[in-house]
Amino acid sequence: MDSKSIVAPGAQVEKLGDGYKFTEGPVADKDGNVFFTDQPNNKIIRWDAETGKFSVFSDQSGRANGMYFDKKGNLVACSDEENQVWSFDKNGKPTVLVKDYEGKLLNGPNDLWIDPKGGIYLTDPLYPRDYWKRDPKMKQDGEYVYYLDPKGKNLIRVDANIKKPNGIIGTPDGKTLYVADIGDSKTYKYDIQKDGTLTNRTLFVSKGSDGMILDEEGNLYITGKGVTVFDKTGEQIAQFPIHNGWTANICFGGKNRDMLFITAETAVYGLKMRVKGNK
């Protein structure tokens, strides 16, 4: 289904690479190269937009999951091995940005988005991992959405009335945030205030999501059983099946930002689009 012809004419989903254990967290750098994680194998992989080849960016990723680039070109990741948020420099060297909330570990940072000011929104659901060496019980008193101020000093809760937040993405102007409550099969839309807090939560669609992305036309792409696309009004305009189990996450990559890069369990896929991602 593609009622608004957002896919490039004649394009089909193609497998770009496989042999991974569970792929997640794709995000493109300024040149369109895509970085994604193989979380169980503790790796961040780089896909080259020019050659289509893969290389290992980090083999000590902190079990990275969702990721996003900051304006300085650092790769910021939800590294849930120790329930932290890390920032990787261009050489793959990590720095810890978030290690706790009010002295207690987070449950397991899952996905994040960085606003135009440099503040970080992140989701913190609980998904106990078999590689954790610590008590897998919930560390916080619930599963919430957080905001780290642009100076990296103050972490606050911005939505505590949510069941299990997962995918998260905001608009390039920094005015609107989308958060998927995968535990309640809902995706919400918020107005972002100047101090980073959220107001006017409204139900956008009655469907949850793992990862999410927006295109230049404001369409929202959500994942799970393939990729489902909704326009600004919440009307479904496309659905792309991905025949490899769970579709975890997506981003726009490639030199022209017109390749929908899709992570689905053991493999990664590409779909050439008519629309482009935001820069």
Side-chain angles (χ1 to χ4, degrees):
M1 177 197 173
D2 181 16
S3 64
K4 300 283 179 72
S5 300
I6 59 175
V7 176
Q12 300 284 331
V13 174
E14 58 174 311
K15 186 185 287 186
L16 302 176
D18 60 13
Y20 305 104
K21 196 164 182 183
F22 194 90
T23 55
E24 251 288 6
V27 64
D29 66 13
K30 60 182 176 55
D31 298 317
N33 307 302
V34 175
F35 292 69
F36 65 95
T37 73
D38 186 0
Q39 190 173 23
N41 286 322
N42 206 17
K43 287 181 169 62
I44 298 173
I45 314 292
R46 179 184 183 274
W47 172 79
D48 191 287
E50 190 81 42
T51 66
K53 293 184 176 177
F54 296 88
S55 58
V56 176
F57 173 71
S58 172
D59 59 6
Q60 294 293 323
S61 74
R63 309 281 186 168
N65 193 340
M67 303 190 294
Y68 208 82
F69 276 100
D70 69 15
K71 285 187 176 176
K72 295 178 181 176
N74 300 308
L75 182 59
V76 181
C78 291
S79 293
D80 81 5
E81 186 165 38
E82 297 295 340
N83 288 7
Q84 297 175 341
V85 176
W86 290 9
S87 174
F88 294 86
D89 67 16
K90 290 174 183 177
N91 298 315
K93 182 183 176 185
T95 302
V96 177
L97 299 184
V98 176
K99 63 180 176 57
D100 59 28
Y101 175 75
E102 295 187 346
K104 293 182 180 179
L105 285 176
L106 293 170
N107 299 315
N110 186 282
D111 203 2
L112 58 83
W113 174 70
I114 302 177
D115 69 18
K117 298 175 184 175
I120 301 172
Y121 289 92
L122 65 109
T123 58
D124 185 46
L126 178 67
Y127 291 104
R129 311 296 190 183
D130 58 11
Y131 51 74
W132 281 354
K133 296 181 175 69
R134 61 177 185 283
D135 180 358
K137 290 179 183 156
M138 191 177 296
K139 302 302 178 184
Q140 297 293 324
D141 61 0
E143 303 172 67
Y144 304 131
V145 184
Y146 293 82
Y147 180 68
L148 181 67
D149 73 80
K151 293 182 179 178
K153 302 292 185 188
N154 190 30
L155 184 70
I156 61 170
R157 288 177 177 169
V158 287
D159 191 350
N161 183 27
I162 198 161
K163 192 171 179 182
K164 188 180 283 288
N166 196 310
I168 190 166
I169 193 71
T171 54
D173 61 9
K175 293 181 178 178
T176 305
L177 185 73
Y178 294 88
V179 177
D181 186 348
I182 201 168
D184 199 25
S185 298
K186 290 179 171 62
T187 296
Y188 295 106
K189 182 179 179 180
Y190 306 76
D191 292 337
I192 298 173
Q193 304 305 296
K194 286 184 178 179
D195 62 358
T197 56
L198 304 175
T199 59
N200 298 331
R201 181 173 97 161
T202 56
L203 178 65
F204 183 66
V205 291
S206 294
K207 195 174 178 70
S209 182
D210 200 333
M212 301 195 295
I213 198 73
L214 290 161
D215 67 22
E216 62 183 354
E217 295 182 356
N219 301 312
L220 182 72
Y221 297 60
I222 71 176
T223 57
K225 294 180 180 178
V227 179
T228 309
V229 188
F230 297 88
D231 68 12
K232 288 180 180 179
T233 70
E235 179 187 347
Q236 183 175 326
I237 60 169
Q239 213 287 325
F240 313 132
I242 308 295
H243 301 294
N244 195 42
W246 182 255
T247 301
N249 216 325
I250 41 175
C251 77
F252 278 90
K255 289 185 290 181
N256 298 314
R257 293 262 172 175
D258 61 355
M259 168 74 80
L260 190 64
F261 191 101
I262 304 158
T263 61
E265 298 205 7
T266 57
V268 293
Y269 298 83
L271 178 60
K272 195 70 179 291
M273 305 295 288
R274 174 188 61 78
V275 295
K276 296 182 180 182
N278 299 306
K279 287 190 175 178

